Amino acid sequence: MKIAKRAIIAIIAILCVVAPASAQFRWGIKAGVNVSSLHFSKDIYSDVTNSNNRTGFTGGLMAEFTVPVIGIAMDASVLYTRKIVNFDNNTAGTENYHNDYIEIPINLKYKFSIPVVSNFLLPYLYTGPSFAFLTSKKAISDAFKNKTTDVTWNLGLGLQLVSHLQISAQYGWGINKATEFLGATNAGNTAKTNGWTVTAAYLF
């Protein structure tokens, strides 16, 4: 949680610098899909179980500050997110687990102004942390349990169409331990959540 607090403070400080009175504020709705996978700290668990990618979903509200002319923007969202993982267990067969979160991604954007077409087509790059707070149960089974917070760092690109629609794709790297395995065999084995997310947002 110390990492999360420091990141939030740093982003707020940047926002205060780059968001003068002339900055444009917009808000809207955001929805999309995600593909998640667990990356284990030890290979011992992979002898009996393989973690496969599965498609989940995300959706909620988004706000954006844009500084005119220089192309810098900040955005933040409050999303309901479901991440799904498929386990192919050699002894128990295939099992699906889903984790539900309230997720708050915060991004720093740079929008590339293209002469003539900028009002209709505007590409951008963005990066920033995402803080996901577990709302589903911690204990998935006797084998493992989830942590209450899942923090990732995202890097993505997007396209803004006709000033209102933003379509983006990002990859997120897990920063903290999202899952902990139990039992004598796998004691101390943990996993981080990595994955792709594709979203569409409409800003008013």
Side-chain angles (χ1 to χ4, degrees):
M1 292 302 294
K2 289 183 178 179
I3 296 175
K5 291 179 180 179
R6 290 174 181 174
I8 291 174
I9 293 173
I11 290 170
I12 291 174
I14 294 172
L15 183 60
C16 291
V17 173
V18 303
S22 59
Q24 181 185 25
F25 173 78
R26 299 191 298 171
W27 67 275
I29 55 176
K30 184 177 183 179
V33 296
N34 59 61
V35 180
S36 302
S37 62
L38 292 176
H39 290 252
F40 304 107
S41 60
K42 299 179 181 179
D43 292 334
I44 184 173
Y45 199 75
S46 62
D47 293 337
V48 294
T49 300
N50 294 316
S51 172
N52 297 324
N53 297 330
R54 290 300 300 270
T55 303
F57 62 85
T58 186
L61 298 176
M62 171 182 167
E64 180 188 76
F65 283 97
T66 302
V67 181
V69 183
I70 62 175
I72 294 177
M74 295 282 295
D75 74 50
S77 305
V78 178
L79 308 170
Y80 178 81
T81 298
R82 172 166 290 185
K83 300 179 181 181
I84 302 175
V85 177
N86 181 326
F87 283 115
D88 292 329
N89 193 305
N90 294 335
T91 58
T94 301
E95 298 176 283
N96 296 327
Y97 298 102
H98 68 266
N99 303 325
D100 296 332
Y101 298 91
I102 297 298
E103 185 173 12
I104 305 176
I106 305 172
N107 296 304
L108 177 65
K109 286 180 176 176
Y110 182 76
K111 298 182 178 182
F112 297 89
S113 180
I114 302 175
V116 182
V117 301
S118 290
N119 290 333
F120 307 97
L121 188 67
L122 194 64
Y124 57 87
L125 295 174
Y126 64 94
T127 188
S130 180
F131 309 98
F133 303 96
L134 186 70
T135 59
S136 55
K137 60 183 180 180
K138 290 181 63 177
I140 297 299
S141 69
D142 294 335
F144 61 96
K145 67 178 181 179
N146 293 316
K147 299 293 187 178
T148 56
T149 305
D150 187 2
V151 182
T152 59
W153 190 275
N154 301 314
L155 177 64
L157 54 85
L159 197 61
Q160 180 173 295
L161 304 172
V162 293
S163 300
H164 293 284
L165 180 63
Q166 293 186 0
I167 299 173
S168 62
Q170 67 184 37
Y171 188 81
W173 290 269
I175 295 177
N176 70 324
K177 301 170 183 177
T179 302
E180 178 182 8
F181 292 84
L182 309 174
T185 303
N186 300 302
N189 196 5
T190 59
K192 297 180 179 180
T193 306
N194 293 1
W196 289 94
T197 303
V198 178
T199 58
Y202 188 86
L203 302 180
F204 301 100

